[in-house]
Amino acid sequence: QERIYAAAPGDSIQLEPGIHAGPIVINKLLTLIGNSKAEIRGNGSGNVVTIAADDVTLRGLRISGSGLRLSDDDAAVFVTGNRAKIDNCVIANSLHGIYLKKVSGAQILNNRIQGKTTLAASAEPVEKGIGQGSENCDTTLVSNRRGNGIHQWSCESNLIRGNEISETRDGMYFSFTNNSRVENNSVHHVRYGLHYMYSDGNIFENNSFSENAAGAAIMFSKDLIVRGNRFINNRGHRAYGLIFQSSDHSRLEHNEISQNAVGLSFNQCNANDVIGNRVTQNYIGLRFGSNSDGNR
């Protein structure tokens, strides 16, 4: 943090290999570079890195050790500045991975985000929803108590490309986030690979959602393009490949939807085009609910 205070706007800070103490706040235009050998480690409270200025870049860092309070939206990287670039970072041992709040033009590229699955054993009473694990007397952080890999709220025109997300609550969460591109990401072993609502005009292309409780749940949205994605082997209590709920005027084309309990589910959806998809080896291929009209 002292180096950030001392830096001039526009400077680049090269972090030496090893562990650097967080939390930190970046409130000016800076680039932090770690070359994959530097870790910013939080103290287990709040956010690890807070980006509160425009045009900040994080590259090649390991970032870990956020707080675990869902009510506070604790995250490894919490972003309120526009055009942030987070590139080739490893994010682990945190609640939310990357949390984008009311920002535009962010680029989230080629990161690996691993959710926090266990807590160290404690003599304190465990919080409701945290179950006792069997190994090393640690406690298991059940999926609905975890954070999301990439969480967006009230955002515009972001790019999410080439990330791998696993062991989080939901892989990617969209709420009131429009005109963004999501491409070439891999999301596996989470609850919902994509959990999505009230977000219009977004493009999802060439992503993989596999071995989750549900591949994607898209709700209350319009004007989407979902093209060339793979929704594979999503099985469990809510085991859908792709759920479309109350979403209109969208295009689903050339996706592979295979080996799910239910492949594709439509309910209260209107004027969507579903073209050239491969829907195979699901228990139910297409479940088509009530109050839908004009779909082709």
Side-chain angles (χ1 to χ4, degrees):
Q1 186 69 66
E2 287 77 7
R3 294 175 69 182
I4 292 168
Y5 288 148
D11 281 357
S12 292
I13 298 175
Q14 184 91 33
L15 296 183
E16 299 80 8
I19 296 171
H20 300 262
I24 63 171
V25 176
I26 303 173
N27 56 5
K28 64 186 79 169
L29 191 165
L30 289 175
T31 297
L32 266 62
I33 302 172
N35 292 329
S36 302
K37 296 182 179 180
E39 177 177 353
I40 301 175
R41 184 178 296 178
N43 59 10
S45 178
N47 305 313
V48 183
V49 178
T50 299
I51 296 176
D54 294 344
D55 301 299
V56 170
T57 296
L58 304 179
R59 181 178 298 122
L61 294 160
R62 180 178 172 88
I63 302 169
S64 67
S66 83
L68 296 176
R69 294 180 64 89
L70 284 169
S71 59
D72 293 340
D73 296 326
D74 290 343
V77 184
F78 192 91
V79 183
T80 59
N82 295 316
R83 298 178 300 280
K85 186 174 183 179
I86 303 169
D87 184 11
N88 276 287
C89 293
V90 174
I91 293 172
N93 195 32
S94 294
L95 190 67
H96 296 292
I98 299 171
Y99 195 112
L100 304 169
K101 184 175 182 180
K102 301 183 75 172
V103 303
S104 64
Q107 298 182 61
I108 312 300
L109 310 174
N110 305 312
N111 303 285
R112 191 165 84 247
I113 301 173
Q114 301 166 311
K116 185 175 179 65
T117 60
T118 60
L119 300 172
S122 171
E124 299 297 319
V126 296
E127 202 169 338
K128 184 179 180 182
I130 300 176
Q132 184 72 32
S134 59
E135 296 183 6
N136 302 321
C137 296
D138 288 349
T139 57
T140 298
L141 194 61
V142 295
S143 63
N144 64 352
R145 297 289 306 171
R146 302 173 194 171
N148 301 319
I150 298 172
H151 185 112
Q152 296 181 98
W153 180 74
S154 192
C155 293
E156 184 80 21
S157 301
N158 294 328
L159 173 63
I160 300 173
R161 176 191 290 154
N163 303 280
E164 181 183 0
I165 303 171
S166 63
E167 304 292 353
T168 60
R169 179 177 58 189
D170 298 331
M172 291 181 277
Y173 182 89
F174 276 64
S175 183
F176 300 102
T177 292
N178 306 315
N179 303 312
S180 295
R181 290 190 66 92
V182 179
E183 55 191 33
N184 299 109
N185 302 282
S186 174
V187 183
H188 56 91
H189 296 98
V190 302
R191 184 181 66 173
Y192 290 108
L194 171 65
H195 194 176
Y196 180 103
M197 59 189 74
Y198 308 113
S199 299
D200 303 329
N202 296 297
I203 298 172
F204 298 87
E205 196 163 27
N206 299 329
N207 303 283
S208 175
F209 302 95
S210 63
E211 299 180 87
N212 308 301
I218 295 174
M219 300 174 282
F220 311 112
S221 302
K222 65 181 185 294
D223 299 323
L224 313 179
I225 295 175
V226 182
R227 178 191 297 128
N229 303 280
R230 300 174 74 245
F231 303 91
I232 307 293
N233 195 27
N234 298 286
R235 298 181 182 277
H237 179 60
R238 289 168 288 193
Y240 292 84
L242 176 58
I243 302 168
F244 246 58
Q245 168 72 45
S246 304
S247 295
D248 305 327
H249 300 285
S250 296
R251 188 176 182 92
L252 280 67
E253 61 180 347
H254 304 307
N255 301 286
E256 182 178 358
I257 305 171
S258 299
Q259 301 175 48
N260 309 285
V262 177
L264 178 59
S265 174
F266 268 73
N267 193 42
Q268 296 181 337
C269 295
N270 301 288
N272 298 288
D273 289 341
V274 184
I275 301 169
N277 301 279
R278 185 171 183 266
V279 184
T280 65
Q281 301 180 60
N282 306 283
Y283 183 67
I284 298 172
L286 172 63
R287 174 176 287 166
F288 206 83
S290 61
N291 302 324
S292 296
D293 193 23
N295 298 289
R296 298 185 295 178

